[in-house]
Amino acid sequence: MNTKNLGFNSKLIHGGDFEDALGSATVPIYQTSTFAFKNADHGAACFAGESDGFIYTRIGNPTIGALESQIADLESGFGGIAVSSGMAAVTTIYMGILGQGAHIVSSAAVYGPSRVVMEQHFSRFGVESTYVNSENIEEVRNAIRPNTKLIFIETPANPTMGITDIEAVCKIAKEHGILVAVDNTFCSPYLQKPLDLGADIVFHSMTKFLNGHADIVAGIIVAKEETIYKKLRTMMINMGCNMDPHQAYMVIRGLKTLGIRIDRAQENAIKVANFLENHPKIEWVKYPGLTSHPQFELAKKQMNGPGCMISFELKGGVEAGKILQNNVHLAILAVSLGGVETLIQHPASMTHSKMDKDSREKAGITDGLVRFAVGIENVEDIIADLDQALSKI
Ligand code: LCS
């Protein structure tokens, strides 16, 4: 079925370039590592790229391919590269685009390991990095060097909820012939389409909203153009960070409800953010749907909704935050986000603990910051849970 002209939610159900020979209504799991060739010439033609046949699951697999084509279409890209985790997406992009002597400019506030892997490991191979507050476009411009090959941004940023102007960054990058990669994990293509705003590469931890059920770890990269797609696909194949067919099946299944899951969680998040902002024990709340967010207007312009992630700090900082974490009952005290369940975590001691304190502080990740991922439960229950836990402080 040609799904090109369907709406977003219809594409979630019917998208993906896959037609089953036996008419299966859902994409089956091709749980195989290898594929039989029709004969020796066919095998050679597959390896030479002269035939479309499947060869070996690390190189390609029908279940994984269905997911890749579906997400590439949702992100308006040329092609998708499914990988074993969000971090596999990050390292595949770094490996594919950067080389010895290359330089990367990145948002300072990114998922901790995206920065740690660059500063502690890629630096050993001669890759230089500069971390800037990408909410300030001049800081991005000023960090560019003659050897800058990639601008890497995450927006909204994990966990500060800072917003980077994707279009403005891409404009600067184009002037210098630099590629832009955007981590779209916090939004999904339902809320934000970086390739339409000028980015070259978009990627996700599909562990989060795209799968949506907190039961697998997975990642995907989508490139806007064929040359970058081919380069990154080859890197994924050679590094061996491919996805497993069962993982792909789980994401295809979870993806069908992406729109209604986000609609519901976002509706809840707006109410939770308002509750927190008006609570006397809260010092500050950062949520793109609140007019108090410093980039409220930018968020409205580049996102289709404020999303489901909130960061806040309590009066009483770290200690008060601990009491809150220890007293919630409905919200699960756990890292990750984007599932149907509400989660709470403390970035400075959990997701961002491997970043040094100085870098954390410069990135706006204060020791007292608490991150709240809003799920699809009844919002009255989420708020009542927070209210009773706050009363313990
Ligand atoms: N990018 C972002 C924005 C993320 O939040 C994460 C994981 C990753 C990349 C890496 O993805 P993974 O390899 O885990 O699939 N974020 C997590 C978090 O905030 N809590 O636990 C994991």
Side-chain angles (χ1 to χ4, degrees):
M1 175 183 181
N2 182 357
T3 59
K4 281 280 170 227
N5 296 322
L6 294 181
F8 193 94
N9 282 298
S10 306
K11 285 185 180 195
L12 293 175
I13 312 294
H14 299 287
D17 189 11
F18 182 86
E19 240 174 82
D20 185 56
L22 301 177
S24 171
T26 59
V27 179
I29 311 176
Y30 281 80
Q31 194 71 49
T32 181
S33 58
T34 197
F35 296 83
F37 303 124
K38 293 182 191 115
N39 52 47
D41 283 345
H42 176 232
C46 285
F47 270 93
E50 291 156 4
S51 167
D52 284 342
F54 287 96
I55 298 173
Y56 185 62
T57 282
R58 176 159 50 75
I59 299 171
N61 172 289
T63 313
I64 300 168
L67 174 64
E68 289 172 331
S69 62
Q70 191 173 9
I71 302 212
D73 183 35
L74 296 172
E75 286 283 14
S76 308
F78 173 82
I81 304 154
V83 287
S84 58
S85 68
M87 281 314 299
V90 171
T91 52
T92 302
I93 293 166
Y94 289 168
M95 286 290 283
I97 306 298
L98 304 168
Q100 196 173 34
H103 174 245
I104 177 176
V105 176
S106 171
S107 308
V110 285
Y111 174 57
S114 297
R115 179 164 177 172
V116 170
V117 75
M118 174 56 60
E119 292 188 316
Q120 294 182 11
H121 301 292
F122 279 79
S123 59
R124 291 189 288 119
F125 303 97
V127 179
E128 299 170 350
S129 54
T130 306
Y131 286 85
V132 297
N133 173 9
S134 57
E135 293 160 43
N136 178 349
I137 213 70
E138 288 315 306
E139 283 200 29
V140 176
R141 190 193 302 277
N142 293 338
I144 291 170
R145 300 180 192 165
N147 56 339
T148 306
K149 299 284 183 234
L150 182 67
I151 301 179
F152 184 98
I153 55 179
E154 189 179 299
T155 180
N158 183 359
T160 61
M161 299 309 295
I163 311 279
T164 296
D165 188 333
I166 300 173
E167 216 166 4
V169 167
C170 293
K171 193 162 168 275
I172 294 171
K174 293 240 152 40
E175 287 165 12
H176 293 82
I178 300 167
L179 297 176
V180 176
V182 180
D183 187 333
N184 203 22
T185 298
F186 268 36
C187 281
S188 91
Y190 189 59
L191 295 183
Q192 180 169 274
K193 305 256 305 241
L195 299 185
D196 287 349
L197 298 172
D200 304 283
I201 300 164
V202 62
F203 68 96
H204 293 268
S205 165
M206 296 203 292
T207 317
K208 313 299 182 322
F209 290 100
L210 295 182
N211 176 61
H213 293 77
D215 48 12
I216 55 131
V217 170
I220 197 158
I221 304 162
V222 177
K224 192 171 182 171
E225 306 286 349
E226 186 174 6
T227 29
I228 298 167
Y229 165 77
K230 282 189 168 158
K231 200 184 237 192
L232 295 177
R233 180 151 205 100
T234 303
M235 186 52 69
M236 178 280 287
I237 292 168
N238 291 338
M239 287 205 305
C241 51
N242 58 284
M243 176 175 275
D244 177 85
H246 183 257
Q247 233 178 336
Y249 169 83
M250 295 291 276
V251 183
I252 291 168
R253 182 170 131 129
L255 195 59
K256 291 180 198 286
T257 54
L258 176 73
I260 57 171
R261 279 188 283 108
I262 290 192
D263 282 346
R264 172 59 178 269
Q266 182 171 256
E267 203 178 291
N268 287 352
I270 294 166
K271 291 181 180 153
V272 171
N274 274 306
F275 163 78
L276 289 170
E277 193 165 57
N278 291 312
H279 197 284
K281 289 187 181 166
I282 302 288
E283 183 71 35
W284 55 260
V285 181
K286 207 144 164 225
Y287 176 65
L290 291 175
T291 49
S292 59
H293 191 292
Q295 296 132 312
F296 174 75
E297 289 302 329
L298 172 60
K300 233 174 37 182
K301 190 178 117 205
Q302 77 180 13
M303 295 161 68
N304 294 326
C308 321
M309 299 297 296
I310 303 170
S311 67
F312 60 93
E313 185 160 334
L314 290 147
K315 288 178 181 154
V318 181
E319 285 313 312
K322 259 192 196 162
I323 299 173
L324 179 72
Q325 292 167 67
N326 289 336
N327 283 283
V328 285
H329 303 308
L330 179 136
I332 303 171
L333 176 56
V335 296
S336 204
L337 58 114
V340 289
E341 54 288 285
T342 296
L343 304 179
I344 188 168
Q345 71 111 0
H346 176 238
S349 68
M350 298 175 187
T351 47
H352 293 68
S353 59
K354 301 289 184 290
M355 264 170 85
D356 61 78
K357 190 171 158 68
D358 186 49
S359 301
R360 270 204 312 268
E361 272 171 9
K362 280 198 189 120
I365 308 167
T366 57
D367 280 351
L369 187 153
V370 174
R371 196 187 73 186
F372 202 71
V374 183
I376 67 168
E377 300 95 337
N378 287 85
V379 71
E380 304 77 32
D381 293 332
I382 302 172
I383 291 176
D385 185 40
L386 279 170
D387 203 26
Q388 64 75 29
L390 285 165
S391 74
K392 305 279 172 20
I393 297 165

